[in-house]
Amino acid sequence: MSILSDAYSWINLRYLLLGLGVTIYVSLISIVLSAIFGLILGIIRYSKIPVFSTIIGFIVDIIRNLPLLLLIFFTFFGLPELGLRQSPTSAAITALVVFESAMIAEIVRSGILAVDSGQMEGARANGLTYWQAMRHIILPQAISKMIPALVSQFISLVKDTSLATIIVLPELLYRAQIIYGQDSRYMLPMYVIIAAMYFVVCYSLSRVAKRLEKQLN
């Protein structure tokens, strides 16, 4: 019991909570930005704009098939060689947004494809332009179909912030490693508590999404 009480001292818990704050901060910014960019890219891919959609589709497919860890390394260690130096936080957000935008773009494209093509034809027949039909008719229906996949992707994003430990981002896992680096006996207690913290954040996100899905339906 003394090991647990020492491992879970207020100093250590406070240190972990600060790391959780960094994890949530990076996750929220990445979720918002990747949702915006992913939506735009997904619509462009679906719309089949000559040449442009093909180029976007090619880039998205490349990014989706790259390891996220490689993108994190590139943004932190590679971009400074091109004169674009970033802090660990900015580099992590950049890598997450690039990767998740590509993943969400495919979810958006699939969600739009799941809407009956007659919806677009009917909207155009009633005088709406293509983009008006997309905004007012197609996207509202598609979003309700996308929610489960989007939630899974956002939950993965939260967990993937732990990969930024490799570039010394002071998030939850990095701080846990600092703590049990001082005493190896704290390793198991640290892993248990950070697992609980990740669970609380991810489960809360899934509950919010389920409530939103019910409201949209």
Side-chain angles (χ1 to χ4, degrees):
M1 292 299 293
S2 61
I3 294 178
L4 289 179
S5 61
D6 291 342
Y8 296 148
S9 66
W10 170 240
I11 293 176
N12 287 346
L13 290 178
R14 182 175 179 275
Y15 190 66
L16 287 176
L17 288 173
L18 291 173
L20 179 61
V22 174
T23 295
I24 293 174
Y25 171 76
V26 170
S27 298
L28 286 177
I29 293 180
S30 300
I31 286 173
V32 171
L33 292 179
S34 61
I36 294 172
F37 293 134
L39 179 63
I40 294 171
L41 294 174
I43 293 174
I44 291 174
R45 290 201 68 184
Y46 171 82
S47 300
K48 294 182 174 61
I49 302 171
V51 181
F52 191 49
S53 291
T54 302
I55 294 173
I56 292 297
F58 179 70
I59 294 172
V60 166
D61 285 339
I62 289 176
I63 294 173
R64 288 177 60 235
N65 287 285
L66 292 177
L68 175 56
L69 189 58
L70 177 62
L71 292 177
I72 293 174
F73 267 114
F74 178 74
T75 55
F76 190 68
F77 296 110
L79 290 182
E81 298 297 323
L82 303 175
L84 300 173
R85 188 173 302 278
Q86 299 184 77
S87 67
T89 301
S90 298
I93 291 173
T94 300
L96 285 167
V97 169
V98 169
F99 184 77
E100 296 299 331
S101 294
M103 302 299 288
I104 292 171
E106 189 60 24
I107 294 173
V108 170
R109 188 180 72 89
S110 299
I112 296 174
L113 285 172
V115 177
D116 190 284
S117 58
Q119 297 288 323
M120 176 62 78
E121 295 170 1
R124 296 299 301 276
N126 281 287
L128 294 180
T129 65
Y130 177 86
W131 295 109
Q132 286 175 332
M134 180 64 70
R135 177 183 176 185
H136 298 291
I137 306 297
I138 305 302
L139 280 180
Q141 296 181 67
I143 288 174
S144 64
K145 300 177 184 295
M146 297 176 209
I147 286 179
L150 287 174
V151 172
S152 296
Q153 196 61 46
F154 291 149
I155 289 175
S156 294
L157 187 156
V158 174
K159 293 182 289 186
D160 286 344
T161 57
S162 61
L163 293 175
T165 297
I166 200 70
I167 59 171
V168 201
L169 177 70
E171 46 76 58
L172 186 56
L173 181 59
Y174 177 80
R175 290 174 183 258
Q177 291 174 339
I178 294 295
I179 292 173
Y180 70 67
Q182 300 171 3
D183 191 331
S184 60
R185 296 176 302 169
Y186 296 169
M187 182 178 293
L188 182 58
M190 287 300 104
Y191 281 138
V192 170
I193 193 168
I194 65 173
M197 288 180 174
Y198 276 119
F199 173 78
V200 169
V201 173
C202 294
Y203 182 74
S204 300
L205 181 59
S206 67
R207 296 302 301 174
V208 170
K210 285 184 178 179
R211 180 170 296 182
L212 178 62
E213 186 176 8
K214 288 181 179 179
Q215 290 177 349
L216 289 176
N217 289 333

